[in-house]
Amino acid sequence: AAPMGLAQPHSAGVYGGGMPPAGEPPMGGYMGAAPGYAAGGKERKPSAMTPTQVAPPPQGMPPQQAAMVRRPSPPPARGAAMGKAVSQLADIDPDTVPANLKREGADWFVIFNPKIPRALNIEHVHTLDHTSVVCCVKFSNDGKYLATGCNRTTQVWSVATGAKECVLADETAAKNGDLYIRAVCFSPDGKYLVTGAEDKQIRIWDVAKRTIRHTLSGHDQDIYSLDFSPDGSTILSGSGDRTVRLWSLESGKEVCKFTIEDMGPKDAGVTSVAFSPNGKLVAAASLDKMIRIWDVATGNPLQRIDGHKDSVYAVAFSPDGQSLLSGSLDKTLRIWDLGRYGVAGRSSDMVTCRSTLVGHKDFVLSVAYSPDGAWIVSGSKDRGVQFWDPRTSQTQCMLQGHKNSVISVALSPSQPVFATGSGDCRARIWSYDSLPPI
């Protein structure tokens, strides 16, 4: 059974259970995305519904779970405290912004921060339509392909043309109900694509043959996040079962299990995992507001990082291995200095929160660094994407290009393009180009 404290949605209409009935507009909610939105009566991660979208609890739900369904959004952040960078871009009316500080397309716009020099130009490149919520997006290392995960299928697209290259679906999977693919990750050499789904299985696909090389079984709950080790030999997985596991690509066997033993009052289901750039550390974000770091060689827990005021949904290492980035349902991002665990850290250096990035109006669902470490990108339930400068902690711009939550963001390792996946059943590819200093 799933751990207590994971509320189930009231019906298939509160996303993850597919699209709403014909004629109903999509809710502004977080559709089918990260943990928590599948129908089928399973207990799940709390829905990210806003107070105005609260649904009645299902018949027969225990009172403590019914209470969790009604869990309101955290209150808005107040003011700019020490170490906080507050962005007001989400509050600006785009019609009042001068032409040099915005870029508009037919169904998207970008607003640039008027308080700092404009350093980027953002353009729409491709729109990739899907028949269900796009839960995750990830580029191949060579930047040629984008993988997207949605209901029952993983799709591989050409970044250059926007054409769909292939659709990967396990024909042996149960046909009843939904089966959202919540995590996708290419191997560093691009030969394999690993997918994680609601059926607790991890599938390793041979991309060229379009066949499954291994199915990895062992997790007791949905798979929410995957990453490959930098050398391509092992796969990292995070699940709602409160474990992080390492698997061998070659054998398909579990190599190591990192278990969260320090259980607090909240469930510690794992929402996001990442390898450090040198492959020596793994980090995991959890529903219990914590981020945990383990040593890969020994399997030992190294640090529990506490600071967010609500569940942490996303974690990413900086390319230089010195920092860790997190995004939370408390609507903020945080940049953590890894101290002794950083590449150049000394044994006396502590893990500290370098800055808190405030500006999203709703849950932060996904975070990423650009390959050169110059930009941080975040996606939110407020439907926006923000670019932040990690050196100054200031936001450079805000992109509005989806009609629902931005569930996943990813940046190409090889070229200045990024992708967004949304509850509006679209993935989109965008370019971001540096502007010369004025």
Side-chain angles (χ1 to χ4, degrees), residues 302-320:
L302 297 177
Q303 184 88 25
R304 187 177 75 170
I305 302 172
D306 184 0
H308 279 293
K309 295 177 173 61
D310 205 336
S311 300
V312 186
Y313 262 41
V315 68
F317 282 92
S318 62
D320 66 5

Side-chain angles (χ1 to χ4, degrees), residues 101-364:
L101 291 176
K102 68 179 171 184
R103 183 84 184 89
E104 288 183 277
D107 60 354
W108 60 273
F109 65 86
V110 184
I111 295 175
F112 293 88
N113 187 346
K115 297 177 181 175
I116 59 172
R118 179 174 165 182
L120 286 175
N121 188 46
I122 291 178
E123 296 288 346
H124 170 250
V125 181
H126 299 299
T127 294
L128 315 175
D129 288 314
H130 294 66
T131 56
S132 70
V133 172
V134 180
C135 297
C136 48
V137 292
K138 210 66 172 286
F139 286 93
S140 58
N141 262 16
D142 61 10
K144 291 181 180 177
Y145 300 103
L146 179 76
T148 60
C150 57
N151 194 9
R152 300 207 155 268
T153 67
T154 302
Q155 304 184 22
V156 179
W157 307 77
S158 164
V159 173
T161 67
K164 191 185 296 184
E165 296 286 328
C166 70
V167 177
L168 305 175
D170 185 352
E171 298 304 330
T172 67
K175 299 291 189 285
N176 55 318
D178 295 297
L179 182 60
Y180 278 91
I181 311 300
R182 300 194 185 280
V184 292
C185 190
F186 283 97
S187 60
D189 62 8
K191 290 181 180 176
Y192 299 101
L193 180 62
V194 184
T195 65
E198 289 184 317
D199 64 358
K200 312 169 193 174
Q201 306 297 310
I202 300 164
R203 294 168 176 87
I204 302 176
W205 291 87
D206 182 309
V207 178
K209 296 178 182 174
R210 303 181 190 182
T211 56
I212 296 174
R213 175 173 174 172
H214 294 299
T215 299
L216 313 181
S217 300
H219 279 296
D220 299 326
Q221 291 290 321
D222 301 14
I223 313 299
Y224 292 140
S225 183
L226 294 166
D227 198 12
F228 254 100
S229 61
D231 67 4
S233 66
T234 51
I235 295 155
L236 180 67
S237 61
S239 164
D241 67 7
R242 307 187 296 279
T243 68
V244 176
R245 303 185 192 217
L246 280 180
W247 311 79
S248 164
L249 172 65
E250 188 61 38
S251 70
K253 303 295 186 200
E254 184 180 301
V255 178
C256 184
K257 178 165 73 173
F258 308 105
T259 304
I260 296 175
E261 306 288 1
D262 52 338
M263 290 294 293
K266 271 195 89 172
D267 182 81
V270 175
T271 56
S272 179
V273 294
F275 265 107
S276 63
N278 64 10
K280 292 182 178 179
L281 305 175
V282 298
S286 284
L287 292 177
D288 67 354
K289 313 178 191 177
M290 303 296 174
I291 304 156
R292 292 170 177 85
I293 301 174
W294 287 270
D295 181 281
V296 172
T298 65
N300 292 333
L302 297 177
Q303 184 88 25
R304 187 177 75 170
I305 302 172
D306 184 0
H308 279 293
K309 295 177 173 61
D310 205 336
S311 300
V312 186
Y313 262 41
V315 68
F317 282 92
S318 62
D320 66 5
Q322 293 291 93
S323 305
L324 193 65
L325 172 66
S326 56
S328 167
L329 299 193
D330 67 11
K331 309 181 189 177
T332 73
L333 292 80
R334 286 181 179 239
I335 304 172
W336 307 88
D337 190 310
L338 285 171
R340 71 188 70 170
Y341 306 116
V343 176
R346 298 168 304 191
S347 59
S348 59
D349 294 342
M350 303 299 289
V351 176
T352 54
C353 180
R354 188 188 314 155
S355 56
T356 302
L357 311 183
V358 180
H360 280 295
K361 305 294 283 183
D362 213 324
F363 306 148
V364 178

